[in-house]
């Protein structure tokens, strides 16, 4: 059974290797001799066209290989067509190649026999996909044409034409017009014209094929979805603290059959990445998970969860057999137990008192209750106080701030001398809890302003029936905690030191130390994934989704 399931991976990797060798054979001199021996069995025109398209073909083989590994039905169909053409073309050669034909026939038979293993439908595309296909194809074909002239027919050139003339010849040849350079014979000139003309046709066929084979994109969060998600998370007293982040407009939703439960997700690099816990009625979570897994299977996406908790993690493990790895803990203040008194809170107490003596004050409010002028000012400051840093987040932050659809959000503002110096912005967590989305301040404000805002938010919460405040997520908290103990071994401390190194760019240890000052309750968060070999792919997708690693593609599929 395992061998049968590995067939797409085996065929895909072989295809990738052949594609890579195809590129090397036409770019690096040590690989050209065997390629030329194979090409010698083709007529001159066919050889020239084959040489010109070799690099491009190698890239296509690599792309097809990825599709085969991901069990894409369209990639299998395309591979079968190519293999049939490959075997049929051997009939017209001067010499037969039994090994090549046998190998092609073997892969052809494997693709037919194991056709049910290639069940995945194609990934969704955007309206710009045909334009991108045209631009990419044009660039590759022009490069291939230049390769053909310089590496294949350089000895047939008359004189020493400039690169510009070679480029013009390639571009004009793609529309069946003879270019400015000359060859030693009319036969060679006609050969190059035909080869370039064929490449020109290829430049049009690829984007047209992409246009007619488009797949509708994944539906993003609609207004109806948004309203329903907000309704479900507001009425669920056991809702996860990350529930409101499911309303990000760049996410999609998988629903249970009656839309009483759902899962927010995004597809990132072939990984269907769920955000936090499912939401809605707990009894329907398993149904939402099953629907999620079905969509992932249809597309051959790797299902995974970013920021899952213990409650939802049990459902994922039960329904999907997933593995879980602890990625850190979320700091949650129990308002009833919070106090500035006592020795453990000495540092926070001193910071708060010092800032208050500097004339800093705070006030707390529902964002929708602020004046329109104040709302506008805070939006401007939220953008200004990023100081060029990119917006990050996916599972534990919002993609917007202070919009009309988020008027129930909560904000604590710090002021000094009548000027806004900082703020904490919270999203609803059921009706009696709040979850921190962002904390920002003027870089010239006093140290301790954040401690002041958190302490006063807790005091306000205690007076207004708010029971819990979710603060920041502290990555690898348990590791830092273990490393601080005298019993910590060299591996634990070495890992801690490595993470400290990366803390120079990402707030890891400093965020843990800051959160720990408030004596919070810790709630563990996990990444869940199907099997150990999927962890690197899932980790990369999660880092890209959280914007810690940029992507060359704006679309996420």
């Amino acid at each position: 059974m395992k061998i049968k399931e590995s067939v797409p991976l085996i065929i895909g990797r072989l295809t990738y290797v052949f594609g890579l060798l195809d590129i090397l054979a036409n770019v690096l001199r040590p690989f050209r001799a065997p390629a030329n021996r194979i090409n010698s069995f083709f007529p001159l025109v066919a050889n020239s066209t084959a040489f010109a398209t070799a690099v491009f073909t190698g890239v296509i083989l690599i792309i097809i290989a990825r599709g085969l590994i991901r069990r894409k039905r369209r990639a299998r169909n395309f591979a079968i067509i190519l293999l049939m053409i490959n075997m049929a073309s051997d009939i017209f050669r001067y010499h037969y190649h039994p090994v090549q034909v046998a190998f092609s026939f073997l892969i052809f038979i494997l693709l037919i026999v194991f056709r049910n293993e290639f069940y995945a439908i194609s990934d969704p595309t955007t309206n710009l996909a045909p334009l991108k296909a045209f631009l990419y194809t044009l660039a590759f074909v022009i490069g291939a044409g230049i390769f053909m002239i310089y590496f294949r027919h350089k000895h047939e050139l008359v004189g020493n034409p400039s690169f510009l003339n070679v480029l013009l010849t390639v571009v004009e040849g793609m529309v069946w017009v003879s270019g400015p350079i000359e060859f030693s014979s009319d036969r060679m000139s006609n050969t190059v014209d035909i080869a370039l003309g064929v490449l020109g046709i290829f430049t049009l066929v690829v984007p047209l094929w992409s246009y007619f084979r488009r797949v509708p994109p994944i539906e993003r969060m609609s207004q109806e979805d948004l309203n329903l998600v907000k309704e479900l998370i507001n009425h669920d007293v056991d809702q996860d603290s990350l529930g409101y982040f499911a309303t990000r407009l760049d996410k999609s939703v998988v629903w249970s059959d009656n839309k009483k439960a759902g899962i927010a997700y995004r597809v990132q690099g072939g990984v269907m990445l769920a955000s936090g816990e499912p939401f809605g009625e707990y009894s329907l979570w398993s149904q939402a998970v099953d629907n999620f897994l079905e969509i992932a299977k249809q597309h051959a996406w790797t299902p995974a969860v970013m920021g899952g908790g213990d409650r939802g993690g049990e459902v994922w493990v039960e329904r999907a057999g997933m593995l879980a790895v602890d990625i850190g803990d979320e700091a949650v203040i129990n308002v009833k137990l919070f106090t500035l008194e006592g020795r453990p809170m000495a540092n926070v107490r001193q910071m708060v008192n010092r800032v208050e003596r500097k004339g800093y004050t705070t006030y707390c409010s529902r964002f929708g209750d602020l004046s329109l002028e104040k709302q506008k000012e805070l939006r401007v400051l939220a953008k200004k106080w990023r100081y060029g840093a990119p917006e990050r987040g996916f599972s534990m932050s919002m993609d917007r701030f202070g919009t009309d659809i988020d008027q129930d959000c909560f904000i604590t503002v710090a002021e000094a001398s009548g000027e806004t110096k900082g703020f904490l912005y919270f999203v609803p967590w059921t009706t009696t809890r709040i979850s921190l989305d962002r904390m920002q301040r003027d870089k010239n404000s006093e140290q301790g302003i954040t401690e002041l805002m958190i302490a006063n938010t807790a005091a306000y919460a205690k007076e207004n029936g708010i029971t819990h405040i979710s603060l920041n997520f502290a990555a690898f908290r348990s590791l830092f905690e273990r490393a601080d103990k005298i019993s910590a071994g060299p591996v634990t401390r070495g890992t801690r030191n490595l993470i400290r190194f990366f803390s120079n760019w990402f707030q890891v240890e400093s965020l843990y130390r800051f959160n720990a000052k408030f004596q919070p309750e810790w709630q563990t968060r996990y990444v869940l994934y199907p099997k150990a070999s999927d962890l690197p792919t899932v980790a990369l997708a999660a880092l890209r989704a959280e914007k810690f690693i940029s992507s060359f593609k704006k679309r996420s599929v």
Side-chain angles (χ1 to χ4, degrees), residues 159-442:
N160 188 24
S162 65
F163 177 79
L164 179 59
N165 284 339
V166 172
L167 179 61
L168 288 174
T169 299
V170 172
V171 174
E172 293 176 4
M174 291 167 57
V175 293
W176 299 88
V177 176
S178 297
I181 65 175
E182 297 181 1
F183 293 91
S184 58
S185 66
D186 292 338
R187 179 170 175 268
M188 181 56 62
S189 179
N190 293 334
T191 296
V192 172
D193 288 343
I194 293 174
L196 293 175
V198 171
L199 294 182
I201 295 174
F202 188 64
T203 306
L204 296 177
V205 169
V206 171
L208 286 174
W209 177 83
S210 176
Y211 176 80
F212 289 109
R213 299 287 289 178
R214 286 180 300 170
V215 178
I218 300 173
E219 292 186 7
R220 296 298 189 191
M221 184 79 64
S222 66
Q223 187 62 46
E224 179 184 355
D225 289 336
L226 178 63
N227 294 337
L228 188 52
V229 172
K230 292 175 70 172
E231 179 182 347
L232 290 174
I233 61 178
N234 285 336
H235 288 81
D236 183 4
V237 295
D238 296 321
Q239 178 58 48
D240 182 52
S241 61
L242 306 183
Y244 198 86
F245 301 127
T247 66
R248 284 178 63 111
L249 299 180
D250 59 353
K251 293 179 180 177
S252 303
V253 182
V254 174
W255 295 102
S256 62
D257 294 343
N258 61 0
K259 287 197 171 184
K260 295 297 184 180
I263 300 170
Y265 74 96
R266 182 195 298 171
V267 179
Q268 190 79 55
V271 175
M272 190 175 179
L273 193 63
S275 170
E277 303 273 71
F279 54 84
E281 295 183 14
Y282 178 74
S283 61
L284 296 173
W285 282 13
S286 58
Q287 188 179 96
V289 168
D290 291 342
N291 292 344
F292 181 95
L293 295 174
E294 180 60 29
I295 294 176
K297 181 179 179 180
Q298 289 174 3
H299 293 83
W301 290 329
T302 302
V305 183
M306 177 63 181
D310 290 308
R311 193 163 175 243
E314 292 177 357
V315 179
W316 284 104
V317 171
E318 177 185 349
R319 306 301 297 186
M322 285 192 172
L323 305 174
V325 59
D326 175 354
I327 58 172
D329 296 81
E330 178 187 5
V332 179
I333 293 178
N334 187 327
V335 173
K336 183 178 179 180
L337 302 178
F338 182 82
T339 178
L340 290 178
E341 303 300 323
R343 186 175 180 180
M345 297 297 291
N347 177 266
V348 176
R349 185 171 62 252
Q350 292 169 4
M351 297 288 283
V352 169
N353 292 336
R354 186 179 69 84
V355 172
E356 286 182 333
R357 287 194 297 269
K358 294 282 187 178
Y360 281 74
T361 60
T362 67
Y363 64 87
C364 306
S365 172
R366 177 178 169 274
F367 193 85
D369 293 336
L370 298 174
S371 66
L372 295 179
E373 290 184 1
K374 192 63 180 181
Q375 292 184 24
K376 182 178 180 181
E377 176 194 351
L378 290 171
R379 293 188 192 102
V380 172
L381 291 176
K383 185 176 182 179
K384 175 184 176 182
W385 286 345
R386 295 212 61 82
Y387 298 111
E391 289 276 7
R392 291 196 174 99
F394 164 67
S395 59
M396 305 179 190
S397 66
M398 295 298 293
D399 58 344
R400 56 189 185 271
F401 170 75
T403 63
D404 293 338
I405 59 178
D406 301 309
Q407 294 296 290
D408 288 332
C409 288
F410 183 85
I411 193 164
T412 297
V413 180
E415 294 183 336
S417 302
E419 295 184 2
T420 302
K421 294 296 184 179
F423 64 81
L424 303 180
Y425 184 70
F426 300 87
V427 297
W429 171 15
T430 71
T431 56
T432 59
R433 305 175 186 182
I434 54 177
S435 183
L436 180 65
D437 175 39
R438 62 173 70 197
M439 56 180 184
Q440 293 181 265
R441 66 183 182 90
D442 187 336

Side-chain angles (χ1 to χ4, degrees), residues 128-149:
L128 294 178
L131 177 60
K132 290 180 179 179
F134 172 74
L135 294 176
Y136 293 154
T137 305
L138 181 64
F140 273 113
V141 165
I142 290 176
I146 294 173
F147 264 111
M148 180 185 70
I149 292 176

Side-chain angles (χ1 to χ4, degrees), residues 445-496:
S445 61
E446 291 289 333
Q447 293 293 326
I449 184 177
T450 305
E451 287 86 343
L452 173 66
M453 290 189 290
I454 291 176
N456 288 357
T457 300
Y460 176 89
K462 188 174 295 186
E463 296 174 358
N464 290 271
I466 297 175
T467 62
H468 292 79
I469 302 172
S470 172
L471 295 179
N472 297 296
F473 170 75
F476 309 110
R477 181 201 67 87
S478 59
L479 173 66
F480 288 114
E481 195 173 72
R482 293 196 307 271
D484 288 339
K485 297 180 179 180
I486 59 175
S487 60
V491 175
T492 300
R493 291 181 176 175
T495 305
R496 186 267 314 273

Side-chain angles (χ1 to χ4, degrees), residues 518-534:
F518 298 94
Q519 304 299 306
E521 300 172 351
W522 297 104
Q523 295 185 3
T524 305
R525 293 290 173 179
Y526 305 93
V527 165
L528 293 102
Y529 51 96
K531 55 183 183 294
S533 59
D534 292 324

